[in-house]
Structure formats: C-alpha cells, structure tokens
C-alpha cells in the first residue's frame, strides 16, 4: 500500500501499548493510552531510533562510512546517532549548538562516551549557517577519502519519515486488540518528523484517526508547513499518489512556554506528578510539554467527542538530567 524503503533493524519493536486511566492523571478524560516508544531500547532509545532505521539504511546503501548530524547540546537525536554509529562501526561527527549550562551531562555525556566527535558551535552562528557548516564538514571528509552522510535535524526528512509511518502500521494491532474507536494520536513535535510519519501512516493504516502534534519550539503554522513539506517530498521521492492538501494536519502550540528547551513551573509540576502517579518519566524538552499540553486540552474539553486518546511517548530520559537543578528539589545557595 505504501512503498516502504529498505530498513535496518535498530529499535525494539513492537513497543508496549498501555492504558493510563488508572493513574488518575486527569478527570473526565477519554480512554488514555500510551505508546511506549521510550522503550525502543536502552541507551539507543526514543523516537529517533525508528527514523534512523531508514536513514542509516539509506546511508549504507550509498556506501557512507561517516555520519554527520546536528542539534542542541542535549539532542536525543545526536545521542542516538552516536550510539548507532558505534554499534555499526561508522564514524560520527556531531555539530552541536551551545545551550543551557553546557555541562558534560545527559545526552552530551553519552555522545562523548560513545566516541562521537563533538563540535560545539555558538548559537548565533548555528542558526545563521548550520547548513553551510554541515556541507563544509562533508567536503572535509571527502577530501580525506571518507564518505559522509548528512542527517538533517532530528532525522526529519523524506527518508526518516518512514519510521513513524511504520509506527502507525504497528498501531493497527494495538488498536484492534483494545478496540479503539474515534481515536486521536498525540505526540510532541520538535522537528516534525514524528508527526509527519504518523500523519502519513495513519492516513493509510488507521483511517479516521486524527494526529495532533504538540509543538515544543516553533508555532503551529511552522509545524503544519513542515509536516506538509516532509510528506510532499516523501510522495515525490517514492512515487506515492496522495493529495497532501487533503490531509488533516494539526498542531497545538500552547505548551511551548518561553521557548525550546526552556521549562516553566507547571511543566515541572506535570513531570513530577506523572512520575509519582504512574512511574512514567517525561522530559522537560519534549514529552513533558507534549503531555502537559494534552492534559490541559483534555481538561478544557477539546477531546470531549473522542473515545480514545493515544500519547506517543517519544523518549528523552537522558535530557532530563541536564535540568535537574530546575525541579526545585534542592535549595539553591
Ligand atoms: C526529537 C524528539 C521529539 C520530537 O520529534 P520530532 O520528530 O523531531 O518532531 C519528541 N520527543 C523526544 C524525546 C525527542 O527526542
């Protein structure tokens, strides 16, 4: 039905699908489910692993020996790439944007542990010239006889999109087993690839199911465009006949707070409550904002005509450690 390209196996799938209502996180909620993509692995865990299955297959098909990618200093995507590279014997070069405390903690610590070459770039320079920097690094490798594959931010492009189209296909069984009806799937959106893949996949495998992204950085308009663009490029590249303008693409952007990777009090409160009431670990950059936004919308009655709500837990546990001072557990001196 959809022309899935070759993939290599990296993620532990199918991931568990669990009911959350027993924990009383929210009143008058529809049935609330969680797709545990935080359990796609241990170090190599979270949503980027599903995308990398397709992206790395493409890199290997092109004969590449080196992976170059970019992100914030605490990027989960970069950590996953560092670990995949180590697993497959590929060199990894990460171009990271300075952010937060800058300490060797969380994902950045794991990048280093996994032996990736870490290059840190001031924020301004990163935002103005990341594409040029990545091209330059690829040329540097070429001049030394190596072949580098550049993976875009979050592996969100027309290749990485297949990871979450595949997740939508996996959800068919979960939906059947638990008899889900009138369903909405929600996820955190950072570079849009998860939302794009789920939107594409749901259209084919879960007809009638709506996908809603909860933005963690840019606004709804940005993500609606980005998702549409990723899907359109995918259709062009793989010859899919789909009228993309007919797809319902929806993003909610009220849970971003002060900006990307910036927390706020009710967010930390939500993360703490969720951990204590359900044992689920959410992170302040992605899943915390996504889930917080979703709970607020449930309380506001936005999902009153929905029977089943599925939150895709996209991982992010290591990033949480870089925020530990902001939870207010220890008095500051
Ligand atoms: C990258 C990431 C997201 C966002 O996924 P995108 O496909 O980039 O929108 C969500 N949660 C976690 C934990 C992530 O690392």
């Amino acid at each position: 039905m959809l022309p899935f390209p070759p993939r290599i196996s990296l993620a532990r799938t199918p991931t568990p699908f669990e009911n959350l209502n027993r924990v009383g996180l929210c009143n008058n909620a529809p049935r609330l489910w969680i797709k545990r993509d935080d359990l796609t692995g241990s170090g190599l865990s979270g949503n980027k692993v599903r995308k990398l299955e397709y992206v790395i297959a493409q890199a290997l098909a092109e004969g590449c020996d080196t992976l170059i990618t970019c992100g914030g200093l605490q990027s989960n995507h970069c950590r996953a790439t560092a670990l995949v590279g180590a697993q497959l014997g590929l060199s990894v070069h990460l171009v990271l944007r300075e952010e937060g405390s800058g300490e060797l903690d969380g994902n950045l610590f794991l990048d280093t542990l996994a032996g990736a070459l870490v290059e840190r770039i001031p924020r301004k320079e990163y935002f103005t010239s990341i594409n040029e920097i990545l091209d330059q690094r690829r040329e540097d490798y070429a001049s030394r006889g190596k072949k580098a594959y550049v993976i875009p931010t979050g592996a969100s492009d027309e290749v990485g999109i297949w990871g979450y189209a595949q997740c939508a296909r996996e959800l068919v069984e979960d939906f059947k087993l638990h008899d889900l009806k009138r369903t909405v799937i929600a996820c955190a959106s950072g570079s849009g690839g998860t939302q794009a893949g789920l939107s594409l996949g749901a259209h084919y495998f879960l007809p009638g199911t709506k996908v809603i992204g909860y933005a963690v950085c840019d606004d709804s308009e940005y993500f609606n465009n980005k998702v549409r663009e990723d899907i359109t490029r995918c259709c062009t590249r793989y010859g899919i006949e789909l009228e993309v303008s007919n797809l319902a693409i929806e993003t909610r952007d009220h849970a971003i707070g002060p900006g990307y990777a910036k927390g706020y009090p009710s967010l930390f409160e939500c993360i703490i409550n969720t951990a204590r009431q359900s044992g689920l670990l959410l992170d302040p950059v992605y899943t915390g904002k996504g889930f917080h936004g979703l709970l607020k919308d449930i309380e506001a009655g936005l999902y009153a005509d929905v029977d089943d709500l599925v939150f895709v837990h996209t991982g992010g546990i290591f990033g949480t450690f870089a925020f530990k001072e902001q939870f207010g557990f220890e008095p500051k001196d």
Side-chain angles (χ1 to χ4, degrees), residues 47-48 51 76-77 154 156 188-194 283 286-287 314-316:
N47 62 340
K48 303 310 180 305
K51 305 178 190 193
N76 295 302
H77 160 66
S156 290
S189 278
S191 58
T194 303
D283 75 288
Y286 297 101
T287 54
T314 41

Side-chain angles (χ1 to χ4, degrees), residues 152-274:
T153 308
S156 290
D157 67 359
E158 63 272 26
V159 183
I161 191 173
W162 289 105
Y164 274 85
Q166 168 58 24
C167 181
R169 183 157 72 172
E170 192 177 300
L171 282 166
V172 171
E173 279 308 306
D174 298 323
F175 280 33
K176 247 190 232 155
L177 190 63
H178 300 284
D179 196 22
L180 269 62
K181 300 207 172 70
R182 292 193 302 175
T183 305
V184 166
I185 301 174
C187 68
S189 278
S191 58
T194 303
Q195 187 183 348
L198 288 170
S199 299
L200 177 66
H203 178 74
Y204 286 92
F205 303 116
L206 304 163
T209 301
K210 203 153 122 185
V211 175
I212 298 188
Y214 280 85
V216 305
C217 39
D218 302 278
D219 65 12
S220 296
E221 194 191 338
Y222 169 85
F223 278 106
N224 292 343
N225 289 333
K226 173 68 163 65
V227 166
R228 217 172 278 288
E229 189 182 299
D230 281 2
I231 295 175
T232 304
R233 283 174 197 248
C234 178
C235 290
T236 306
R237 176 163 175 165
Y238 297 94
I240 302 164
E241 281 182 38
L242 174 65
E243 196 49 68
V244 180
S245 54
N246 290 343
L247 277 188
I249 291 164
E250 192 173 335
T251 313
R252 309 266 307 152
D253 59 8
H254 58 80
I256 300 171
Y260 177 74
K262 294 198 169 78
Y264 48 93
S266 64
L267 171 69
F268 289 109
E269 202 179 302
C270 172
I271 294 171
I272 293 168
N273 285 342
T274 305

Side-chain angles (χ1 to χ4, degrees), residues 132-164:
E132 289 75 17
I133 294 170
L134 295 174
D135 284 343
Q136 187 62 53
R137 298 302 173 269
R138 176 171 36 203
E139 286 166 24
D140 292 347
Y141 279 100
S143 72
R144 283 182 276 140
K146 304 253 287 175
K147 188 162 184 199
Y149 186 94
V150 174
I151 305 174
T153 308
S156 290
D157 67 359
E158 63 272 26
V159 183
I161 191 173
W162 289 105
Y164 274 85

